[in-house]
Amino acid sequence: MSGVKTGDGFAERRTIDRIPESERHGFPRDQFTLWFGANLQITAVLDGALAVVFGAEAMTAIVGLAVGNILGGIVMALHSAQGPRLGLPQMISSRAQFGVRGATLPLLLVILMYLGFAATGTVLAGQAMNLLLGASNPAVGMVIFGVLSTVIALVGYKVIHIMGRIATVISILGFAYLAYQLFHQYDVQSAFGQKPATVATFLLAVSLSAGWQLTYAPYVADYSRYLPSSTSGGKAFLYTLFGSAIASQLAMTFGVLVAALGAKFLSNQVGFLGTLAGQGAVLVYIVIICGKLTINCLNAYGGFMAILTTFTSFSNQTRISRGARAAYIIGFVVLSVLIAVLASSDFLSAFKNFVLMLLAVFVPWSAINLVDYYLISKEKVDIPALYDAAGRYGAYNWTALGCYVLGVVVQIPFLNQPLYEGPIAVALNDADISWAVSLIVTSLVYYVLQRNAKVAPSEMILEVTAQG
């Protein structure tokens, strides 16, 4: 990776501990390629297609998705900007708001989200792998994909960033070719103006893309924490925002056009893209695999970080062995592959809907973390206290936990999800603005209740100081 100091090992040895300055490396631009490669992929295409399936006119969908990608991307990138200053995994830093053990409540839900996305992503990547290799047993492609995900996640941070660069180049080439084929084979102009534009479907498109971006919030700083502490937070923010929002918008716009043209994408996503590519099908299968491999490694890496953060909150550990690190990662990937291989399509569909419901739990978490870090603590954290339940932040911050629960509950009437539709969403013609309501309510209530708590130190504390 660019900027790595001579003598650095390639395999990562850090886990939940702070990255010392001597091991910091890289440039803010590395965040662009990582998040671009993770977002220009087949599942983002599906997210865009859903805006049309749920009733949006094509141009309305494209504009709404752009607004959501920017708004959700801003929230997500604000978390990324914390990485260089703190040098910590994202969920460890949230102990400053929720308490050392209180942070485990959202963490348990985060782990479920990672597992759900990893399992459903493995199905799509496995299909592409089978088509690439000519294998007929669905398990073959899934297992190979799982092995690749495990190896990259085990090596860790540096190779994940390298994978992001590779995926960026391959995905740009692949999607440019797919776009050419789409315009060549279909009358793309006919996709527009098929139905009237409505506020409800515009808001629905905004919610789809904003929710997409917000799912990255619990782990985005994991991939900026190795940047030197002198790195501009603004640069980390902008490179992350642009990489994630631009790639997502490109993929989702492609999905909007595919769906609006009546192409049979939703019933066979991988197969449709292969057919559209024609003689370039092999390239498209590689694009699908690279895109899903990048995001799946983020899920596996983030999943093991979340598990570690949960377990160590009760042991006050700051580091774990490489063997334990490997065991956590392998166990997570094996479980996600087993779910993908053994589960029926109906179960996976229900599981995916359940995961979509979990999105409601990340908005209030983001609101509390960002309001506290930027407005109340003003970027000052007692890092040793994050590993001590008897320290400054305590075991539980009941104010934060109460605001978190409020932020989840307040969304219920506004939700429009496959498993539940709230009465206000119905009154708004199925528009889902739950995330925006939660973001505003949680931020305001938490700020009012916590602003005078005087928990944060007057200056950043990096290590325990000698007493006496």
Side-chain angles (χ1 to χ4, degrees):
M1 181 175 179
S2 55
V4 177
K5 296 177 176 62
T6 303
D8 282 351
F10 196 69
E12 185 180 13
R13 63 190 183 91
R14 297 288 174 181
T15 53
I16 58 170
D17 47 327
R18 182 177 180 270
I19 310 301
E21 203 64 41
S22 61
E23 297 179 24
R24 302 290 188 98
H25 57 265
F27 304 97
R29 64 174 179 266
D30 298 330
Q31 302 303 306
F32 180 89
T33 50
L34 175 68
W35 294 106
F36 195 98
N39 283 283
L40 190 55
Q41 47 110 341
I42 188 171
T43 310
V45 175
L46 174 61
D47 204 57
L50 289 177
V52 173
V53 172
F54 292 156
E57 186 273 331
M59 184 56 71
T60 304
I62 291 171
V63 175
L65 290 167
V67 172
N69 275 318
I70 292 170
L71 294 179
I74 287 172
V75 175
M76 173 258 206
L78 282 171
H79 289 290
S80 180
Q82 298 175 11
R85 181 163 174 80
L86 298 178
L88 295 170
Q90 186 71 72
M91 297 306 290
I92 287 289
S93 70
S94 72
R95 290 175 174 179
Q97 295 86 47
F98 294 92
V100 174
R101 294 173 183 164
T104 59
L105 172 61
L107 270 170
L108 294 173
L109 299 173
V110 165
I111 293 167
L112 275 177
M113 181 194 73
Y114 290 142
L115 192 60
F117 286 153
T120 53
T122 297
V123 173
L124 292 175
Q127 291 173 8
M129 186 72 73
N130 273 8
L131 289 168
L132 186 65
L133 300 176
S136 57
N137 188 333
V140 172
M142 296 183 201
V143 171
I144 293 174
F145 180 75
V147 171
L148 291 174
S149 299
T150 302
V151 171
I152 294 174
L154 282 173
V155 179
Y157 184 91
K158 295 175 186 177
V159 75
I160 289 174
H161 270 283
I162 291 172
M163 189 66 219
R165 292 178 197 150
I166 294 171
T168 293
V169 174
I170 292 176
S171 296
I172 288 174
L173 293 174
F175 272 90
Y177 177 74
L178 283 171
Y180 167 78
Q181 291 290 358
L182 188 70
F183 277 80
H184 181 69
Q185 298 179 33
Y186 291 85
D187 177 13
V188 174
Q189 187 175 350
S190 67
F192 300 97
Q194 296 179 358
K195 59 187 77 171
T198 66
V199 173
T201 55
F202 171 80
L203 292 175
L204 183 143
V206 172
S207 297
L208 280 171
S209 53
W212 174 273
Q213 297 293 337
L214 290 169
T215 59
Y216 295 124
Y219 63 26
V220 60
D222 295 2
Y223 306 99
S224 61
R225 76 189 198 279
Y226 277 88
L227 291 173
S229 59
S230 59
T231 300
S232 163
K235 288 184 178 179
F237 167 84
L238 289 174
Y239 277 111
T240 302
L241 170 61
F242 290 146
S244 187
I246 292 173
S248 298
Q249 185 62 27
L250 289 173
M252 291 178 188
T253 298
F254 184 84
V256 167
L257 296 178
V258 167
L261 290 168
K264 296 180 179 179
F265 170 72
L266 294 178
S267 59
N268 185 7
Q269 298 157 40
V270 175
F272 169 79
L273 293 182
T275 301
L276 178 67
Q279 294 181 340
V282 170
L283 169 63
V284 170
Y285 299 146
I286 293 173
V287 167
I288 292 171
I289 292 167
C290 283
K292 294 311 299 181
L293 188 58
T294 302
I295 191 63
N296 216 54
C297 289
L298 299 187
N299 287 329
Y301 187 89
F304 111 82
M305 284 288 195
I307 294 169
L308 275 187
T309 304
T310 301
F311 288 161
T312 58
S313 67
F314 296 92
S315 64
N316 291 343
Q317 286 177 275
T318 59
R319 299 186 66 178
I320 65 163
S321 68
R322 287 189 175 185
R325 179 184 186 278
Y328 280 117
I329 292 174
I330 293 170
F332 180 90
V333 176
V334 167
L335 182 57
S336 68
V337 172
L338 281 174
I339 292 173
V341 171
L342 299 178
S344 66
S345 58
D346 289 340
F347 174 81
L348 285 175
S349 177
F351 194 26
K352 184 176 181 180
N353 289 339
F354 173 67
V355 170
L356 288 174
M357 283 291 291
L358 287 180
L359 297 182
V361 309
F362 302 120
V363 178
W365 176 87
S366 279
I368 291 168
N369 178 267
L370 295 177
V371 167
D372 187 89
Y373 181 77
Y374 288 107
L375 301 181
I376 298 176
S377 299
K378 300 188 185 303
E379 303 183 39
K380 300 179 182 69
V381 179
D382 182 345
I383 290 177
L386 297 174
Y387 302 91
D388 181 7
R392 177 190 301 271
Y393 301 114
Y396 302 93
N397 180 351
W398 295 109
T399 299
L401 289 168
C403 289
Y404 175 74
V405 173
L406 171 66
V408 174
V409 172
V410 77
Q411 295 180 70
I412 294 175
F414 298 90
L415 283 173
N416 182 12
Q417 296 285 353
L419 296 180
Y420 174 78
E421 184 174 19
I424 297 180
V426 173
L428 294 174
N429 295 319
D430 298 331
D432 186 333
I433 59 170
S434 58
W435 65 278
V437 171
S438 179
L439 193 65
I440 294 169
V441 171
T442 309
S443 297
L444 290 175
V445 173
Y446 180 78
Y447 180 77
V448 169
L449 295 179
Q450 194 72 13
R451 61 181 173 175
N452 296 319
K454 309 292 185 188
V455 176
S458 57
E459 298 294 336
M460 178 77 84
I461 300 175
L462 302 181
E463 56 187 5
V464 178
T465 55
Q467 298 295 315

